[in-house]
Each structure stands twice: as C-alpha cells, then as structure tokens.
Amino acid sequence: MGRSLLARGAKKLAFLLKPGSPPSVVNRMRGIASAVVESGKGGSQNDNVLVCEPDDIKAVSRFLRTRCPDVIVCGNDMIAVRLHATLSALGRTDALRLAGFDNQPQAAEIGITSVVQPCEEIASIALQTLLARLHTPTLPVHTVLVSDRGIVG
C-alpha cells in the first residue's frame, strides 16, 4: 500500500498504530515505514508512526502539528473511520487522506482508500491449517501470506 500511495502523489505518509495491535497490523506498519524510507521521503522507520487510539484528539493534534503528514494509514478501515471522526472534530478532514485495510463500506462512504483482502481465501486457508493442526498437533508454527485483491479509493 505504501508504494501505491506514494505513486499516487503522497508526499508524507504516516501510520497510526493502536497500542496492543496484533502482529499483522505491526507488519502493515513496517511495510508502510519501509516504503517511506525506500522512497527517500522519510527518516527512520519510526519517524512517521503515531502510537495512540484513533480518538485521542490531543495525540492526533500534536502529531499533525509536528509531523505534517498528507496521508495517514491505519491498521484497518474501522480505525481509519474513527480517526476520520477525530479529524472532523479538529476541522482537518480536508487537509489529509486516510487509508486502511479490509474495504469496509463505512470507510468507502467517507472516501478512505483501502486494501481489498481475499476474505474467503483467508478463511479457507485458516480452516485447512486448523484441520491439519488437529490431525497432527506437532506441526510447526508457520506464517501464511495471501496476496491482496488491490487498492480501492
């Protein structure tokens, strides 16, 4: 997503990371941060990461003042929707774009860019993995990566 947003004209990407986010969201944040560093449009990987709840108006306001992003990527669309409400309260919805993951209708309604995930394929792989684990409990832990279906918005 990071490379795509930069190719679409983003000047300064940031990532909102909720405290206690699962590893999948941390990996999304790392991917965005890596794209920013590779593009030469940012410093270290942590320079453009905001760690807070999306409705923490003080933290969001401070981050906007000090980092001035033009796009904020969130761990999923519903976090982006909550951040949009915070930006509305700050009068900043026109000043920057939001992006997320999951392609939720609520996000599309307010113009949030989103990664479309292959939910049926993910569910099928999860079921196959569970059944294999039940059959052979000693199977090693592994990570499965599934390609997204594109970016909308």
Side-chain angles (χ1 to χ4, degrees):
M1 174 182 269
R3 286 184 192 95
S4 175
L5 291 168
L6 290 165
R8 292 178 177 195
K11 304 284 185 254
K12 191 166 184 185
L13 286 178
F15 194 95
L16 184 140
L17 183 68
K18 278 184 57 170
S21 291
S24 58
V25 172
V26 173
N27 286 336
R28 291 171 182 171
M29 180 268 307
R30 288 181 181 143
I32 297 297
S34 179
V36 170
V37 170
E38 288 172 13
S39 73
K41 294 184 178 186
S44 77
Q45 287 195 349
N46 294 325
D47 282 350
N48 297 316
V49 178
L50 169 60
V51 180
C52 73
E53 292 293 331
D55 49 9
D56 184 339
I57 199 161
K58 288 182 182 178
V60 170
S61 179
R62 185 178 331 109
F63 188 81
L64 294 176
R65 259 192 333 273
T66 60
R67 303 298 168 87
C68 305
D70 63 336
V71 179
I72 298 178
V73 180
C74 299
N76 63 51
D77 285 351
M78 296 317 294
I79 293 171
V81 168
R82 286 177 57 201
L83 179 59
H84 185 271
T86 301
L87 295 172
S88 291
L90 292 168
R92 299 287 305 268
T93 54
D94 293 337
L96 52 97
R97 294 181 293 166
L98 297 178
F101 294 79
D102 302 333
N103 194 28
Q104 295 295 312
Q106 302 92 325
E109 289 171 12
I110 55 177
I112 293 172
T113 299
S114 187
V115 171
V116 180
Q117 298 198 73
C119 295
E120 288 181 16
E121 184 178 355
I122 292 169
S124 175
I125 291 170
L127 178 59
Q128 291 170 17
T129 303
L130 173 64
L131 294 174
R133 172 81 55 198
L134 289 171
H135 185 263
T136 311
T138 58
L139 283 174
V141 174
H142 64 279
T143 300
V144 178
L145 299 177
V146 180
S147 296
D148 64 65
R149 298 290 184 250
I151 297 174
V152 295

